[in-house]
Amino acid sequence: MNESNEPSQPQREGFTTTLGVLAATLGSAVGLGNIWKFPSLTGQNGGAAFVFVYMIGVALIAMPVMISEFIIGRKAGANAVGAFKRLEPARTKPWFLTGVIGVVAAFLIMFFYTDVAGWVYSYAFRALSGGFAHVGVNQTAGVFDSYIGSAAGPLIWQWIVLIVISSVIIAGVTRGIERMTKALLPILFVLLLICDVRALTLPGAFEGVRYLFQPDFTKITAGVVLAAMGLAFFKLSVGMGTMTTYGSYIGKKESLPATAIRVALADTLVSLLAGLAIFPAVFAFGFKPDAGPSLLFITIPAVFKTMPFGQVFLTMFFVLAAIAATGAMISLLEVPVAYLTEEKKWSRLWATIFSAGLMGVVGSLATLSTSSLSKTLVFGKTFFDLFDFLSSNIALPVGGVFICLFVGWKLGKKIIVEEASNDGSLHNLALLKVFTFTVRYIAPIAIVLVLLNGLGILKA
Ligand code: TRP
């Protein structure tokens, strides 16, 4: 008999194996963050010193937030907003707003992410069909500028991207997300390793390795630390409910802390491997590492043109970037879809069409930022930069603070230990002590300080 007044829920879908959990969560973490943001921010912020601060941010802040989101999601068995409502049913405090900010952040990120993913898809397509064969080393800037300077191409590719990820989401959590990421991630790793071997065997490659691993600590400023922390959140897909949603699909036998540690390590490895595919080649051919966002689209094609079999490696590189971007976007689209289906009782099909449609419509503002709207500034930023800044540097850290506070103080030690040790069966109590202390004190304080300092509100 069903005692409660709620109608009995249909069984929720979930990830079916440990490998499936890892593939989906790592598929979310690995994305343009590793291949586009990490190298371009590293190049702009002085190399290894930035990498060093970034890694501290991953270990001390982003990974604890990930474990926290897993705890919230799996304990509640619900989407980013519903999870808070279920864990705080009295609703004496508006914790669920953390989830609402999260759903908004998912859209903000997708507005510009689908644009860049569209550039990547179009480059992969162009490389595959031999379209770079006659582009000279000095012409890659012209090719990119004229591409993003036009409206039609980037808009069409943005919609293609949205259609691809929508079809995976409509197929469902198990048959769509889990199956897709399990098939694609190994391909991504293999392609990346091949590109690494190529780059590292170029004469003069060592300069790039040194750039990535030998820090010059004088380069660290408040802005650098904020950028590194923002990247740590963005990279591990935390601070807005992606990992809460995915956490709700993780089975009761899986270890949440072990999953988070594996994802953080593997994701950082992918970033470093991407750096090792890029910087050695950049230095070997005398290019500059600090091109920023255009590093991937102007410098890389030029660099690859210069080396033997460049055409082949260029193709591999953009195909792997497209795979990475796809897994990440799937996880971003799943956040509003899970919210709309569970809280608003929409069908999965309509929730997907609506969310992807909104991402495409508002996202076109970001896409047009490089053409017809390039002079339209809001708070001194183009739409593209505004969406990026508001999500990575504001929404994710703010969401991260509330997630830590919710788990550390509201749920508290007992529930943390129950959920993160699977009722004691994982024998990880020492680790959970460190974790509890980190989410109660270290992570929230660090996030707030970095945020205030980076925004110039508090001067260090
Ligand atoms: N982590 C992905 C990347 O590096 C992007 C991403 C996916 C993301 N889901 C997210 C970022 C949730 C922030 C929040 O490309």
Side-chain angles (χ1 to χ4, degrees):
M1 273 286 289
N2 191 355
E3 296 281 318
S4 72
N5 296 330
E6 300 218 357
S8 58
Q9 297 269 337
Q11 233 214 310
R12 255 175 127 251
E13 263 195 287
F15 304 134
T16 53
T17 61
T18 306
L19 194 67
V21 169
L22 185 66
T25 47
L26 187 60
S28 165
V30 169
L32 292 174
N34 309 65
I35 288 152
W36 172 64
K37 273 197 171 211
F38 174 83
S40 76
L41 284 170
T42 301
Q44 282 179 316
N45 291 305
F50 176 84
V51 177
F52 180 78
V53 180
Y54 166 73
M55 287 189 183
I56 294 180
V58 167
L60 230 55
I61 301 176
M63 204 170 64
V65 178
M66 186 186 291
I67 299 177
S68 302
E69 288 197 37
F70 283 163
I71 291 178
I72 298 174
R74 190 173 69 174
K75 171 103 189 118
N79 62 88
V81 179
F84 287 94
K85 291 187 177 164
R86 273 175 225 192
L87 295 179
E88 220 255 330
R91 287 211 234 155
T92 47
K93 307 226 169 57
W95 285 105
F96 72 96
L97 288 179
T98 309
V100 176
I101 302 176
V103 174
V104 174
F107 280 101
L108 284 174
I109 294 173
M110 284 298 269
F111 293 156
F112 73 91
Y113 206 104
T114 48
D115 178 26
V116 183
W119 304 348
V120 170
Y121 272 42
S122 91
Y123 265 55
F125 181 77
R126 189 193 280 241
L128 272 173
S129 55
F132 281 108
H134 306 292
V135 176
V137 172
N138 299 322
Q139 291 168 332
T140 59
V143 167
F144 182 59
D145 290 337
S146 79
Y147 175 65
I148 64 168
S150 70
L155 283 177
I156 292 170
W157 279 105
Q158 185 173 31
W159 283 97
I160 293 176
V161 164
L162 283 163
I163 291 168
V164 169
I165 57 169
S166 296
S167 50
V168 179
I169 290 293
I170 290 168
V173 176
T174 314
R175 287 189 317 125
I177 303 176
E178 179 175 353
R179 206 174 51 163
M180 197 66 171
T181 49
K182 238 168 49 191
L184 289 180
L185 269 186
I187 304 178
L188 184 153
F189 267 97
V190 170
L191 293 179
L192 189 54
L193 285 173
I194 297 174
C195 290
D196 278 321
V197 171
R198 172 65 279 188
L200 288 170
T201 49
L202 291 166
F206 192 67
E207 190 61 23
V209 179
R210 187 164 30 213
Y211 183 76
L212 204 54
F213 290 111
Q214 200 177 72
D216 168 2
F217 289 110
T218 59
K219 299 257 166 78
I220 299 177
T221 63
V224 169
V225 177
L226 179 65
M229 188 180 73
L231 180 66
F233 274 100
F234 187 88
K235 271 303 328 107
L236 294 196
S237 308
V238 296
M240 42 74 62
T242 288
M243 290 302 180
T244 309
T245 308
Y246 273 21
S248 75
Y249 302 140
I250 298 181
K252 291 288 179 199
K253 293 211 175 64
E254 309 291 337
S255 165
L256 300 181
T259 306
I261 292 170
R262 280 183 209 131
V263 172
L265 286 176
D267 179 73
T268 306
L269 180 69
V270 172
S271 293
L272 294 175
L273 289 175
L276 283 176
I278 292 175
F279 292 113
V282 166
F283 282 96
F285 295 110
F287 289 89
K288 292 255 168 295
D290 59 358
S294 64
L295 178 71
L296 185 58
F297 300 98
I298 296 177
T299 314
I300 291 296
V303 167
F304 282 58
K305 288 288 320 180
T306 318
M307 66 198 196
F309 301 106
Q311 197 69 19
V312 179
F313 291 103
L314 187 64
T315 310
M316 287 193 206
F317 193 79
F318 277 100
V319 169
L320 82 87
I323 292 176
T326 304
M329 288 184 295
I330 289 171
S331 74
L332 281 159
L333 180 56
E334 178 65 16
V335 171
V337 169
Y339 165 71
L340 291 170
T341 50
E342 290 179 6
E343 301 304 302
K344 306 287 172 204
K345 308 289 175 221
W346 291 25
S347 73
R348 199 166 168 88
L349 179 68
W350 281 113
T352 308
I353 292 176
F354 170 80
S355 305
L358 187 62
M359 287 164 182
V361 170
V362 185
S364 63
L365 293 177
T367 306
L368 296 174
S369 293
T370 48
S371 53
S372 47
L373 295 180
S374 64
K375 302 240 152 41
T376 310
L377 301 186
V378 184
F379 302 120
K381 293 183 191 299
T382 60
F383 282 110
F384 185 107
D385 291 339
L386 184 73
F387 295 146
D388 185 6
F389 181 81
L390 283 180
S391 53
S392 314
N393 292 8
I394 312 269
L396 298 183
V398 169
V401 172
F402 286 112
I403 288 164
C404 289
L405 295 179
F406 186 77
V407 168
W409 299 95
K410 177 83 204 168
L411 292 185
K413 277 188 200 149
K414 190 165 155 281
I415 293 185
I416 292 177
V417 170
E418 271 168 25
E419 196 61 39
S421 74
N422 298 355
D423 289 323
S425 66
L426 295 176
H427 304 291
N428 55 2
L429 291 185
L431 176 78
L432 293 185
K433 278 217 170 82
V434 178
F435 167 72
T436 308
F437 186 76
T438 309
V439 282
R440 283 189 153 191
Y441 303 101
I442 299 184
I445 295 174
I447 298 170
V448 171
L449 288 179
V450 174
L451 198 57
L452 295 180
N453 191 13
L455 295 175
I457 299 169
L458 181 106
K459 285 272 171 272

